[in-house]
Amino acid sequence: MAYMITDDCSGCRMCVHECPNHAITETNTICVIDPEKCTECVGFYPESKCWMVCGTSAPVPDPEQRESREQLLEKFMRLNPGKKPT
Ligand code: SF4
């Protein structure tokens, strides 16, 4: 399940630099996650990095983007060819 960023985002942009998949872009007001690039950090970390670094708990699982762990791993492989999941 890809993450999304809610209106609780303060726009600090901390998550933009921490996302291992470069899935987060900044706008003038809040940050936005591309669900095609978000693996919920599967393959990189045991928990979602954007959620860990966010001071307002703005990143949350997107109920519109339900994916199994296997699907997230496939996405990780597609986005990071040659890299082994940790
Ligand atoms: Fe990036 Fe991980 Fe947040 Fe998805 S959950 S946007 S991969 S930091």
Side-chain angles (χ1 to χ4, degrees), residues 31-51:
C31 298
V32 178
I33 295 175
D34 179 351
E36 296 299 319
K37 293 183 178 176
C38 175
T39 64
E40 203 175 326
C41 282
V42 165
F44 287 102
Y45 305 114
E47 290 185 281
S48 298
K49 191 75 169 180
C50 57
W51 180 82

Side-chain angles (χ1 to χ4, degrees), residues 5 13 15-16 22-27 30-34 37:
I5 296 178
R13 298 170 176 80
C15 59
V16 173
H22 308 288
I24 308 174
T25 54
E26 48 189 283
T27 69
I30 65 171
C31 298
V32 178
I33 295 175
D34 179 351
K37 293 183 178 176

Side-chain angles (χ1 to χ4, degrees), residues 5-13 15 29-32 54 56-58:
I5 296 178
T6 66
D7 290 343
D8 290 336
C9 177
S10 68
C12 74
R13 298 170 176 80
C15 59
T29 50
I30 65 171
C31 298
V32 178
C54 182
T56 63
S57 300

